[in-house]
Amino acid sequence: MKKYIFSLALLTAVVAGCTKSNQDDKPEIVELSLSSVDIAPYKLKSVVPGSYFPDNVAASIGMFVTAADGITPYDGKTDGYSNVLYAKNAKDAAWFSAEPIILSKTTGLAFGYYPYNNSVKDITSIPVKSSLDGDDYLYGASEGAVSAEAPWVNMEMKHALARLTVVFRKEAGYVGQGILQSMTLSSPVLAPEGILNAMDGGISAKNGAISFKEIYKPFNLEGRLDAECLIIPTLAEPAMQTVSFRFIFDGKEYTSDVSGIVIGQGMHATVLMTVNTDGVVLNGVSISDWDEAGGTTASGNMRPTDVYSTEGLDGKQGNL
């Protein structure tokens, strides 16, 4: 199990001195300083390694500071305390902000989300969407209160979405091109779009089918094709569900209801398929934490090989 901890530079500027003849000191200016960020679904986990924050070369998050009640604007102000961009320009670089949050003696709370969106105005209203190989949305809060006396923020961020990997493996003898053209997922607990409350991770969304069109993703040289789906769950807690799959593979349409899939924020379900001369065979479902590959050693409900009969686009019977 991996743990990703990122040390971030402490950005503290002190302005002293005065041009007055009496040489009175001005009050010091203290900037909000991110000292560490952990990624945690239920246990500390990273997102897809090497692809997204925190493993990518550059990243940016949006920061908010409120009063201690989490509702009232900090020092009665929203300007300068809402959706402030903090970024890093290399994997292990320090975080910085061109216009950092300035803290006073007032005690407040800090919240953050990823990826940064300059149109966001409210920490409780961040647009999110399900995607194929797209953005992994994260949210988090400071571990304690912040102020000029305590400007260093330790923030734990969690995954707002669920991860679903559909793995296709080519069986010996299959002569098709091996191209996934489109895929649709349907379940009463999934949604294509929603609004994230980055204070508590709640998502308000209308359930509906999630469609990924014009994929055109081929097998790799090892005869494997991975479709990485980041999907919006509408459940308050993870639960085992049935997901209806519909996809077009090498010009043929396949549909089936696949059970044993745990849907929940920060959870990872893997659906294993084999493509052979008869069609597509479901080999099993494995459940794991976010960055685990799954497989026979993963926890969850493993299923024996099932074959489903369905109508293909050419009117012939196929297998899924």
Side-chain angles (χ1 to χ4, degrees):
M1 207 174 265
K2 303 174 185 175
K3 181 175 180 180
Y4 291 76
I5 299 178
F6 301 84
S7 297
L8 307 167
L10 305 181
L11 307 175
T12 305
V14 179
V15 179
C18 184
T19 58
K20 293 182 180 180
S21 58
N22 60 8
Q23 298 296 309
D24 290 339
D25 290 336
K26 291 181 180 179
E28 75 172 1
I29 297 175
V30 181
E31 300 172 0
L32 179 76
S33 304
L34 295 172
S35 56
S36 70
V37 177
D38 292 337
I39 310 301
Y42 293 93
K43 298 179 180 179
L44 291 177
K45 288 291 174 183
S46 81
V47 293
V48 183
S51 300
Y52 307 104
F53 170 80
D55 292 322
N56 60 352
V57 172
S60 57
I61 59 179
M63 293 295 298
F64 286 74
V65 173
T66 69
D69 61 5
I71 300 173
T72 308
Y74 187 78
D75 278 344
K77 306 171 185 177
T78 56
D79 189 28
Y81 297 94
S82 298
N83 203 30
V84 178
L85 173 64
Y86 278 75
K88 67 184 181 77
N89 55 21
K91 180 178 178 180
D92 297 317
W95 291 77
F96 65 93
S97 178
E99 298 180 356
I101 295 171
I102 304 302
L103 297 172
S104 69
K105 293 183 179 181
T106 303
T107 298
L109 298 176
F111 302 91
Y113 74 94
Y114 170 88
Y116 179 78
N117 180 341
N118 62 8
S119 66
V120 169
K121 305 297 182 185
D122 185 347
I123 189 66
T124 67
S125 185
I126 297 173
V128 295
K129 63 180 180 180
S130 298
S131 64
L132 186 72
D133 297 323
D135 289 322
D136 175 31
Y137 297 93
L138 304 172
Y139 66 97
S142 56
E143 293 180 356
V146 297
S147 67
E149 283 75 30
W152 307 284
V153 173
N154 296 308
M155 188 165 60
E156 179 182 85
M157 302 193 84
K158 301 179 181 180
H159 298 283
L161 305 188
R163 181 181 172 195
L164 174 64
T165 304
V166 185
V167 178
F168 297 89
R169 295 181 185 274
K170 182 169 62 174
E171 194 173 89
Y174 182 75
V175 295
Q177 287 183 294
I179 296 178
L180 177 64
Q181 296 166 259
S182 67
M183 181 166 59
T184 298
L185 312 174
S186 300
S187 171
V189 299
L190 295 180
E193 297 179 338
I195 300 296
L196 168 68
N197 180 342
M199 281 187 167
D200 59 16
I203 295 180
S204 57
K206 183 178 181 180
N207 296 328
I210 301 171
S211 295
F212 305 123
K213 300 178 180 179
E214 299 181 358
I215 300 173
Y216 298 108
K217 191 169 186 176
F219 281 131
N220 61 19
L221 294 177
E222 288 73 37
R224 173 171 170 153
L225 188 164
D226 288 19
E228 279 287 3
C229 308
L230 297 173
I231 52 181
I232 297 174
T234 57
L235 290 167
E237 297 292 337
M240 191 169 290
Q241 301 291 324
T242 296
V243 177
S244 296
F245 284 78
R246 175 186 178 275
F247 59 87
I248 297 177
F249 195 92
D250 280 349
K252 293 185 179 181
E253 181 183 69
Y254 300 91
T255 61
S256 181
D257 294 338
V258 180
S259 60
I261 298 178
V262 173
I263 302 294
Q265 290 177 313
M267 299 300 293
H268 181 201
T270 302
V271 178
L272 307 173
M273 307 275 194
T274 298
V275 183
N276 57 33
T277 55
D278 295 323
V280 180
V281 179
L282 172 66
N283 298 118
V285 177
S286 67
I287 309 301
S288 66
D289 288 324
W290 186 270
D291 67 346
E292 298 293 338
T296 56
T297 60
S299 61
N301 180 28
M302 294 297 296
R303 302 180 60 200
T305 299
D306 292 326
V307 178
Y308 298 87
S309 182
T310 183
E311 287 288 331
L313 288 177
D314 57 3
K316 300 178 181 179
Q317 291 291 322
N319 292 325
L320 173 62

